[in-house]
Each structure stands twice: as C-alpha cells, then as structure tokens.
Amino acid sequence: MASSTSVVLAALFANAAIAVLKFGGFALTGSPAMLSETYHSISDTGNQIFLLVGIKYGAQEATREHPFGHGKAQFFYSLLVSIMLFGIAGWESARHGYSALQEGGVHRASEDVTLLGAPFDPVYVNYAVLLGAILFESYALWKAYQGISRQMDEYGWTSLREAFSKTSDVTTLTALTEDTIALGGAGIALFGIYLTRATGNGIYDAGAALIIGIMLMGFAVALALENKRLILGESLSKDAEDELRTIVADWDGVTELVDFRTVYFGAEELLVTADVAFEADLDTETMNERITQIELALMDHDDQVQKVYIEPEI
C-alpha cells in the first residue's frame, strides 16, 4: 500500500506542475497539440486524486455492513479514472485535433514575446515545456515501473503483459499506464509542433492532437476492462491457484479436495474457500488443528491470502 501511494504521489505532483506549464505554452502559441496535452495533464492530475481517495477509502477497517473491508474501493475509483477522466480527456483532445484538421490545420503564427528585455520565439516555450514533461513523466514512469517490477519478482510474472492481466494492484497499474501514455503523448506533441514550425503547415500540430486523443481513449477502454474483471470478482490465476490447491490436497489427513475457490476482495487481498474431506477416524479436535495448519500454510505460501474458510466434509 505504501508503495502504491508513493507511485501516485510522484505522478500527482509531476502532472499538476506540467499541466500549468502546458497551458502556458498553449496560451502563447495556440498549438492544438499543446491544448490536448493540457487536457491530458489536467486529467492525469485528477486521476491521482481519485486513486488516492481509493487507497484511503480502501484501507478502512471491516464493518458489519462491509465484513470483508472496503478493498474494492480501489477498483471502483480506478474505473472512474479510466471512464470519466481518461475518456473525457481523450474525447476532448481528439475532437479539438479533428476540428483543427477540418480547418486545414489552423495554426496561429506566434509573435515574439519579450522576457527580461530580450525578444524570443514563444514556440521555444512549447519545446521547453514538453522536454520538461518528458523528464517529469520519465521519473513518474520509473516509480510506477519499480512498483510493478516488485510484483513481477514476487509472483514470478515474466512480462508486463502478464502483470497487466494478473495484478490486482490497480493503483500501480493505472499509474504505470497513464505515465506511459503521458510520455508518449509528450513525444508526439513535440514532434508535431516541430514539424509545423519547420514546414509552416499546421496539419502536423493538429494531427498530433488527434493522435493523442485516440491514444487516450484506447487506453481508457483497456483500463476499464482490467478494472471490470476485478470488480466482478476475479479468481487467482490458474497456476497460482493450483499451487494452493496442492497444499490443501496433500495435507496429512485430507482424503479429497471437494471444492476450492479464490476471489479478490481488494488490491492484493485474496479470499480462499475450500470444502475438504478428512479421514473418517479423525476426531473433532484433531480436524480443527489440521484446518488451522492448512490456513496458516496457505497464508505463508501467498501473502495475498488474507482470509481462508475451510469447510470439513463428511
């Protein structure tokens, strides 16, 4: 949890500062790509606030109304991020870029402005802001990558694609995704603005804005689907679940594993239930001891396992 919070905070401060700088660049040059990037960074800042709310709310203790705690709050707020913020920012960016393209890539020729008595071309503000954004986003992406790398090492995942499809830590997943998009978006905007400046044709700037918007909406859909699987109650991956099944089935005194189920009820919080047939000659006290031992063994094997319910079968 502390790792996820540090990842989100790093992205929050970076995106808030970058949003202000990007808007300044847009105000000076009227660049469609800079406006798209402003929408992007504002949405990213809102994303981090939602994620922090999810982390805080999800950390609340279990109550009678919520006997398994509030861990799924992180899934809900991450879903809001993907739909409301990524979607809105993506749509606005794409719409603005498409409108500029329809108008032939409208580009307002920038006039020199004066700073400390020296005139300079404001397009260099865009260059400086976007290069700074690339540095900031590289740092935030590195923090998010560290978070997902720890999980990959812990659970033996071999690729980011596997981690994306299996992790229940949607906070780190969302931060990693949006930082990747932000880095790509800043690079596309920089390239589009440079081409427009070099050729005098605003179509490149407008096209960059459209591409950024489409990219945002695409990743919004991907993130929404990842959050959907966890909100609906996804089980542990088959290989990892089979390892837990083997622990129970091979335990001394167990004759049959009748049923076995796992489900996430929060970020890296797993519920395990099992119907287990024991040897007929075991007395009640011994059976209870075996059940306790199995529960502890499951928790030791995978620290995501937070609750275990074992039902003895006759």
Short mmCIF file of all heavy atoms in Angstrom, two decimals, residues 24-32 34 105-114 119-127 193-194 196-202 205:
data_model
loop_
_atom_site.label_atom_id
_atom_site.label_comp_id
_atom_site.label_asym_id
_atom_site.label_seq_id
_atom_site.Cartn_x
_atom_site.Cartn_y
_atom_site.Cartn_z
N GLY A 24 0.39 27.28 -20.29
CA GLY A 24 1.13 28.48 -20.63
C GLY A 24 1.66 28.44 -22.05
O GLY A 24 1.59 29.43 -22.79
N GLY A 25 2.15 27.28 -22.47
CA GLY A 25 2.62 27.12 -23.83
C GLY A 25 1.50 27.27 -24.84
O GLY A 25 1.67 27.92 -25.88
N PHE A 26 0.31 26.71 -24.53
CA PHE A 26 -0.83 26.87 -25.43
C PHE A 26 -1.27 28.32 -25.52
O PHE A 26 -1.58 28.83 -26.62
CB PHE A 26 -2.00 26.00 -24.95
CG PHE A 26 -3.32 26.40 -25.55
CD1 PHE A 26 -3.59 26.11 -26.88
CD2 PHE A 26 -4.28 27.05 -24.80
CE1 PHE A 26 -4.81 26.49 -27.46
CE2 PHE A 26 -5.49 27.43 -25.36
CZ PHE A 26 -5.76 27.14 -26.70
N ALA A 27 -1.30 29.02 -24.38
CA ALA A 27 -1.73 30.42 -24.38
C ALA A 27 -0.82 31.28 -25.24
O ALA A 27 -1.27 32.24 -25.88
CB ALA A 27 -1.76 30.94 -22.94
N LEU A 28 0.45 30.94 -25.29
CA LEU A 28 1.40 31.74 -26.07
C LEU A 28 1.37 31.42 -27.56
O LEU A 28 1.60 32.30 -28.40
CB LEU A 28 2.82 31.53 -25.54
CG LEU A 28 3.17 32.19 -24.20
CD1 LEU A 28 4.54 31.72 -23.73
CD2 LEU A 28 3.14 33.70 -24.33
N THR A 29 1.09 30.17 -27.92
CA THR A 29 1.22 29.76 -29.32
C THR A 29 -0.07 29.29 -29.96
O THR A 29 -0.13 29.16 -31.19
CB THR A 29 2.25 28.62 -29.44
OG1 THR A 29 1.76 27.47 -28.71
CG2 THR A 29 3.60 29.04 -28.87
N GLY A 30 -1.10 28.97 -29.20
CA GLY A 30 -2.34 28.46 -29.77
C GLY A 30 -2.21 27.08 -30.38
O GLY A 30 -3.01 26.68 -31.22
N SER A 31 -1.25 26.29 -29.95
CA SER A 31 -0.99 24.97 -30.52
C SER A 31 -2.08 23.98 -30.11
O SER A 31 -2.31 23.77 -28.92
CB SER A 31 0.37 24.47 -30.05
OG SER A 31 0.49 23.08 -30.24
N PRO A 32 -2.76 23.32 -31.10
CA PRO A 32 -3.75 22.29 -30.76
C PRO A 32 -3.13 21.14 -29.95
O PRO A 32 -3.76 20.60 -29.04
CB PRO A 32 -4.25 21.80 -32.12
CG PRO A 32 -3.98 22.93 -33.05
CD PRO A 32 -2.72 23.55 -32.56
N MET A 34 -0.63 21.30 -27.89
CA MET A 34 -0.39 21.75 -26.51
C MET A 34 -1.70 21.79 -25.72
O MET A 34 -1.71 21.49 -24.52
CB MET A 34 0.27 23.12 -26.50
CG MET A 34 1.75 23.10 -26.86
SD MET A 34 2.74 22.03 -25.77
CE MET A 34 2.79 23.00 -24.28
N GLY A 105 -5.73 22.43 -40.49
CA GLY A 105 -4.60 22.52 -39.56
C GLY A 105 -4.33 23.94 -39.16
O GLY A 105 -3.22 24.45 -39.34
N VAL A 106 -5.37 24.62 -38.65
CA VAL A 106 -5.23 26.02 -38.26
C VAL A 106 -4.02 26.20 -37.37
O VAL A 106 -3.84 25.48 -36.39
CB VAL A 106 -6.49 26.50 -37.53
CG1 VAL A 106 -6.29 27.91 -37.00
CG2 VAL A 106 -7.69 26.47 -38.47
N HIS A 107 -3.20 27.14 -37.70
CA HIS A 107 -2.01 27.40 -36.90
C HIS A 107 -1.80 28.90 -36.80
O HIS A 107 -1.69 29.59 -37.80
CB HIS A 107 -0.76 26.77 -37.54
CG HIS A 107 0.50 27.04 -36.78
ND1 HIS A 107 0.74 26.53 -35.54
CD2 HIS A 107 1.59 27.79 -37.12
CE1 HIS A 107 1.94 26.95 -35.13
NE2 HIS A 107 2.46 27.72 -36.07
N ARG A 108 -1.81 29.39 -35.60
CA ARG A 108 -1.61 30.81 -35.38
C ARG A 108 -0.12 31.11 -35.35
O ARG A 108 0.61 30.57 -34.49
CB ARG A 108 -2.25 31.23 -34.05
CG ARG A 108 -2.23 32.75 -33.84
CD ARG A 108 -2.89 33.08 -32.51
NE ARG A 108 -2.01 32.75 -31.40
CZ ARG A 108 -2.44 32.54 -30.16
NH1 ARG A 108 -3.73 32.55 -29.90
NH2 ARG A 108 -1.58 32.28 -29.19
N ALA A 109 0.34 31.90 -36.26
CA ALA A 109 1.76 32.26 -36.26
C ALA A 109 2.10 32.97 -34.97
O ALA A 109 1.44 33.94 -34.59
CB ALA A 109 2.06 33.16 -37.45
N SER A 110 3.06 32.49 -34.28
CA SER A 110 3.41 33.07 -32.99
C SER A 110 4.29 34.30 -33.18
O SER A 110 5.17 34.34 -34.02
CB SER A 110 4.15 32.03 -32.14
OG SER A 110 5.27 31.56 -32.82
N GLU A 111 3.98 35.32 -32.40
CA GLU A 111 4.77 36.54 -32.41
C GLU A 111 5.79 36.48 -31.29
O GLU A 111 5.54 35.88 -30.24
CB GLU A 111 3.86 37.75 -32.25
CG GLU A 111 2.82 37.88 -33.35
CD GLU A 111 1.90 39.07 -33.12
OE1 GLU A 111 2.06 39.73 -32.07
OE2 GLU A 111 1.03 39.32 -33.97
N ASP A 112 6.90 37.14 -31.51
CA ASP A 112 7.92 37.17 -30.48
C ASP A 112 7.39 37.84 -29.23
O ASP A 112 6.61 38.80 -29.29
CB ASP A 112 9.17 37.92 -30.97
CG ASP A 112 9.97 37.09 -31.96
OD1 ASP A 112 9.61 35.94 -32.18
OD2 ASP A 112 10.96 37.63 -32.51
N VAL A 113 7.78 37.29 -28.08
CA VAL A 113 7.45 37.91 -26.80
C VAL A 113 8.76 38.32 -26.14
O VAL A 113 9.84 37.86 -26.52
CB VAL A 113 6.68 36.93 -25.89
CG1 VAL A 113 5.34 36.57 -26.51
CG2 VAL A 113 7.48 35.68 -25.63
N THR A 114 8.64 39.20 -25.17
CA THR A 114 9.83 39.74 -24.52
C THR A 114 9.93 39.21 -23.10
O THR A 114 8.95 39.23 -22.34
CB THR A 114 9.79 41.28 -24.49
OG1 THR A 114 9.70 41.75 -25.84
CG2 THR A 114 11.05 41.84 -23.84
N PRO A 119 13.70 39.68 -26.78
CA PRO A 119 12.63 39.01 -27.52
C PRO A 119 13.00 37.56 -27.84
O PRO A 119 14.17 37.24 -28.05
CB PRO A 119 12.54 39.84 -28.81
CG PRO A 119 13.90 40.40 -28.99
CD PRO A 119 14.45 40.64 -27.61
N PHE A 120 12.00 36.69 -27.85
CA PHE A 120 12.25 35.31 -28.25
C PHE A 120 10.97 34.71 -28.82
O PHE A 120 9.86 35.20 -28.56
CB PHE A 120 12.76 34.47 -27.07
CG PHE A 120 11.70 34.16 -26.04
CD1 PHE A 120 11.01 32.96 -26.06
CD2 PHE A 120 11.40 35.08 -25.04
CE1 PHE A 120 10.03 32.68 -25.11
CE2 PHE A 120 10.43 34.81 -24.10
CZ PHE A 120 9.74 33.61 -24.12
N ASP A 121 11.12 33.66 -29.60
CA ASP A 121 10.00 32.98 -30.25
C ASP A 121 9.32 32.08 -29.21
O ASP A 121 9.95 31.19 -28.64
CB ASP A 121 10.54 32.13 -31.40
CG ASP A 121 9.41 31.56 -32.26
OD1 ASP A 121 8.29 31.42 -31.75
OD2 ASP A 121 9.68 31.24 -33.43
N PRO A 122 7.99 32.30 -28.95
CA PRO A 122 7.32 31.51 -27.90
C PRO A 122 7.23 30.02 -28.20
O PRO A 122 6.89 29.24 -27.31
CB PRO A 122 5.93 32.16 -27.82
CG PRO A 122 5.74 32.84 -29.13
CD PRO A 122 7.10 33.30 -29.55
N VAL A 123 7.48 29.60 -29.46
CA VAL A 123 7.43 28.17 -29.74
C VAL A 123 8.46 27.43 -28.91
O VAL A 123 8.29 26.24 -28.58
CB VAL A 123 7.65 27.89 -31.25
CG1 VAL A 123 9.11 28.09 -31.64
CG2 VAL A 123 7.17 26.48 -31.60
N TYR A 124 9.52 28.15 -28.53
CA TYR A 124 10.55 27.51 -27.70
C TYR A 124 10.02 27.21 -26.29
O TYR A 124 10.56 26.36 -25.59
CB TYR A 124 11.80 28.37 -27.64
CG TYR A 124 12.53 28.42 -28.96
CD1 TYR A 124 12.55 29.58 -29.74
CD2 TYR A 124 13.19 27.30 -29.45
CE1 TYR A 124 13.19 29.61 -30.97
CE2 TYR A 124 13.85 27.32 -30.68
CZ TYR A 124 13.84 28.48 -31.43
OH TYR A 124 14.48 28.50 -32.64
N VAL A 125 8.96 27.93 -25.89
CA VAL A 125 8.30 27.61 -24.62
C VAL A 125 7.70 26.21 -24.71
O VAL A 125 7.82 25.39 -23.79
CB VAL A 125 7.21 28.64 -24.28
CG1 VAL A 125 6.42 28.21 -23.04
CG2 VAL A 125 7.83 30.02 -24.06
N ASN A 126 7.04 25.93 -25.86
CA ASN A 126 6.47 24.60 -26.05
C ASN A 126 7.55 23.53 -26.01
O ASN A 126 7.39 22.47 -25.37
CB ASN A 126 5.74 24.53 -27.39
CG ASN A 126 4.42 25.27 -27.37
OD1 ASN A 126 3.95 25.69 -26.32
ND2 ASN A 126 3.82 25.43 -28.54
N TYR A 127 8.66 23.79 -26.71
CA TYR A 127 9.75 22.82 -26.70
C TYR A 127 10.24 22.57 -25.27
O TYR A 127 10.42 21.42 -24.85
CB TYR A 127 10.92 23.33 -27.54
CG TYR A 127 10.65 23.46 -29.02
CD1 TYR A 127 11.42 24.31 -29.82
CD2 TYR A 127 9.64 22.73 -29.64
CE1 TYR A 127 11.18 24.43 -31.19
CE2 TYR A 127 9.39 22.83 -31.00
CZ TYR A 127 10.16 23.68 -31.76
OH TYR A 127 9.94 23.79 -33.11
N ILE A 193 4.57 19.63 -33.18
CA ILE A 193 4.84 21.07 -33.11
C ILE A 193 6.10 21.41 -33.89
O ILE A 193 6.16 22.43 -34.60
CB ILE A 193 4.96 21.51 -31.64
CG1 ILE A 193 3.59 21.41 -30.96
CG2 ILE A 193 5.51 22.93 -31.53
CD1 ILE A 193 3.64 21.59 -29.45
N TYR A 194 7.10 20.57 -33.78
CA TYR A 194 8.35 20.82 -34.51
C TYR A 194 8.11 20.79 -36.03
O TYR A 194 8.60 21.66 -36.76
CB TYR A 194 9.40 19.78 -34.13
CG TYR A 194 10.61 19.82 -35.04
CD1 TYR A 194 11.56 20.83 -34.91
CD2 TYR A 194 10.78 18.86 -36.04
CE1 TYR A 194 12.66 20.89 -35.76
CE2 TYR A 194 11.87 18.91 -36.89
CZ TYR A 194 12.82 19.92 -36.74
OH TYR A 194 13.89 19.98 -37.58
N THR A 196 5.32 21.34 -37.62
CA THR A 196 4.56 22.52 -38.02
C THR A 196 5.45 23.75 -38.07
O THR A 196 5.35 24.58 -38.99
CB THR A 196 3.39 22.74 -37.04
OG1 THR A 196 2.39 21.75 -37.28
CG2 THR A 196 2.77 24.13 -37.21
N ARG A 197 6.33 23.87 -37.10
CA ARG A 197 7.25 25.01 -37.08
C ARG A 197 8.22 24.96 -38.27
O ARG A 197 8.51 25.99 -38.90
CB ARG A 197 8.05 24.99 -35.77
CG ARG A 197 9.04 26.14 -35.63
CD ARG A 197 8.33 27.45 -35.64
NE ARG A 197 9.26 28.55 -35.42
CZ ARG A 197 8.97 29.82 -35.59
NH1 ARG A 197 7.75 30.15 -35.99
NH2 ARG A 197 9.86 30.76 -35.36
N ALA A 198 8.68 23.76 -38.60
CA ALA A 198 9.66 23.62 -39.68
C ALA A 198 9.05 23.81 -41.05
O ALA A 198 9.70 24.34 -41.97
CB ALA A 198 10.33 22.26 -39.59
N THR A 199 7.77 23.40 -41.23
CA THR A 199 7.14 23.45 -42.55
C THR A 199 6.15 24.60 -42.70
O THR A 199 5.77 24.94 -43.83
CB THR A 199 6.39 22.13 -42.83
OG1 THR A 199 5.31 22.00 -41.89
CG2 THR A 199 7.32 20.94 -42.71
N GLY A 200 5.70 25.15 -41.57
CA GLY A 200 4.68 26.19 -41.64
C GLY A 200 3.29 25.64 -41.87
O GLY A 200 2.33 26.38 -42.05
N ASN A 201 3.14 24.32 -41.81
CA ASN A 201 1.85 23.67 -42.04
C ASN A 201 1.28 23.18 -40.71
O ASN A 201 1.85 22.29 -40.06
CB ASN A 201 2.03 22.49 -43.01
CG ASN A 201 0.71 21.91 -43.47
OD1 ASN A 201 -0.34 22.16 -42.87
ND2 ASN A 201 0.74 21.14 -44.54
N GLY A 202 0.15 23.75 -40.31
CA GLY A 202 -0.44 23.41 -39.01
C GLY A 202 -1.06 22.04 -38.93
O GLY A 202 -1.50 21.62 -37.86
N ASP A 205 0.61 19.70 -36.28
CA ASP A 205 0.24 20.02 -34.90
C ASP A 205 -1.16 19.47 -34.59
O ASP A 205 -1.39 18.81 -33.57
CB ASP A 205 0.28 21.54 -34.72
CG ASP A 205 0.29 21.96 -33.26
OD1 ASP A 205 -0.25 21.22 -32.42
OD2 ASP A 205 0.85 23.03 -32.96
#
